[in-house]
């Protein structure tokens, strides 16, 4: 509870660990994180005007996972709220600003591709898998189009793969194939087994 916002609080790995092991302490930690997420603390301490995109995405993603785990309706209701914020705030080009300003109710800053690809896309996908929401599906395909245009690296597969599953549009399958080729071509070849086939 020392963290003032959720940028660095992601529970997906702990949830997987709990599903694999049924470790009771892992479940306790998930419950603690869930209590933190339900407080809606996505802004920095002393800065109610700055809510990083990755904080909002972490909370949405976590609340979906916790709803699936516990069936506690509070998580679903909170996830619906964050999904609505992302849907309403998505820019025409499919991106979001780096931060949401709850005071002025607007998105600020330039898009941060890492936050979009590593936090927001997985959160949207998990929400869509849970709900089948048309709004989430629309967000996913729009952000995928943005990601295809702006990603300088090849390692982002989830958005394109899921968008292909949603739409059947071959451009998404072709993007997955091109990114896979790029990624394999950038594997390191080294006599040291620690480094051999590492990417980048």
């Amino acid at each position: 509870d020392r963290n003032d916002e959720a940028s660095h609080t992601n529970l997906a790995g702990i949830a997987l660990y709990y599903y694999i092991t049924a470790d009771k302490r892992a479940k306790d930690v998930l419950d603690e994180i869930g209590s933190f997420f339900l407080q809606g603390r996505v802004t920095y301490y002393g800065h109610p005007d700055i809510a990083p995109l990755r904080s909002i995405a972490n909370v949405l993603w976590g609340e979906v996972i916790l709803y699936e785990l516990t069936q506690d309706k509070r998580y679903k209701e909170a996830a619906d709220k964050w999904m609505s914020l992302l849907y309403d705030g998505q820019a025409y080009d499919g991106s979001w600003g780096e931060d949401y300003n709850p005071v002025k109710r607007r998105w600020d800053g330039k898009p941060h591709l890492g936050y979009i690809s590593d936090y927001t896309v997985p959160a949207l996908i998990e929400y869509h898998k849970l709900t089948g929401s048309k709004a989430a599906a629309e967000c996913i395909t729009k952000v995928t189009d943005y990601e295809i245009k702006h990603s300088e690296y090849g390692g982002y597969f989830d958005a394109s793969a899921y968008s292909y599953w949603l739409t059947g549009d071959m451009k998404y399958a072709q993007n997955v194939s091109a990114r896979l080729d790029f990624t394999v071509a950038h594997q390191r070849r080294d006599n040291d087994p620690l480094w051999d086939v590492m990417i980048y």
Side-chain angles (χ1 to χ4, degrees):
D1 197 38
R2 291 174 299 187
N3 218 8
D4 59 341
E5 49 82 35
S7 285
H8 299 282
T9 308
N10 185 292
L11 58 70
I14 298 169
L16 289 174
Y17 178 78
Y18 174 70
Y19 281 126
I20 291 168
T21 66
D23 183 291
K24 291 180 182 178
R25 177 63 184 137
K27 177 64 168 59
D28 290 344
V29 171
L30 289 169
D31 290 338
E32 291 169 12
I33 296 170
S35 295
F36 174 68
F37 281 174
L38 285 173
Q39 294 173 36
R41 291 179 34 196
V42 294
T43 60
Y44 290 112
Y45 178 77
H47 289 280
D49 57 326
I50 303 174
L53 173 62
R54 66 180 174 174
S55 293
I56 293 165
N58 270 336
V59 173
L60 170 60
W61 191 357
E63 286 172 339
V64 168
I65 290 170
L66 288 165
Y67 177 71
E68 290 177 315
L69 179 65
T70 67
Q71 295 300 298
D72 184 331
K73 291 181 181 179
R74 294 177 304 159
Y75 292 122
K76 172 64 170 56
E77 290 166 1
D80 290 342
K81 178 184 84 170
W82 298 116
M83 179 62 228
S84 179
L85 178 68
L86 289 173
Y87 179 74
D88 292 341
Q90 190 173 30
Y92 182 78
D93 68 357
S95 69
W96 292 268
E98 185 172 348
D99 301 302
Y100 178 68
N101 183 329
V103 175
K104 295 185 178 178
R105 297 183 181 183
R106 70 177 191 212
W107 289 89
D108 293 326
K110 295 179 181 177
H112 189 294
L113 190 60
Y115 296 170
I116 290 170
S117 298
D118 296 335
Y119 299 87
T120 311
V121 168
L124 292 170
I125 289 172
E126 289 305 311
Y127 184 85
H128 183 265
K129 287 194 293 189
L130 176 70
T131 65
S133 160
K134 290 181 181 180
E138 184 181 325
C139 280
I140 292 165
T141 55
K142 282 178 67 176
V143 74
T144 301
D145 292 337
Y146 177 83
E147 190 176 78
I148 289 170
K149 287 181 182 176
H150 294 91
S151 177
E152 59 187 88
Y153 298 110
Y156 297 127
F157 298 99
D158 292 353
S160 290
Y162 203 80
S163 291
Y164 176 66
W165 180 81
L166 284 170
T167 67
D169 189 328
M170 286 303 296
K171 73 178 179 182
Y172 299 121
Q174 290 164 353
N175 188 57
V176 170
S177 180
R179 285 174 187 275
L180 183 59
D181 290 345
F182 178 92
T183 301
V184 170
H186 284 81
Q187 283 184 298
R188 183 173 175 168
R189 303 299 176 200
D190 199 296
N191 290 330
D192 182 342
L194 181 64
W195 291 103
D196 195 34
V197 304
M198 293 286 279
I199 300 168
Y200 310 126

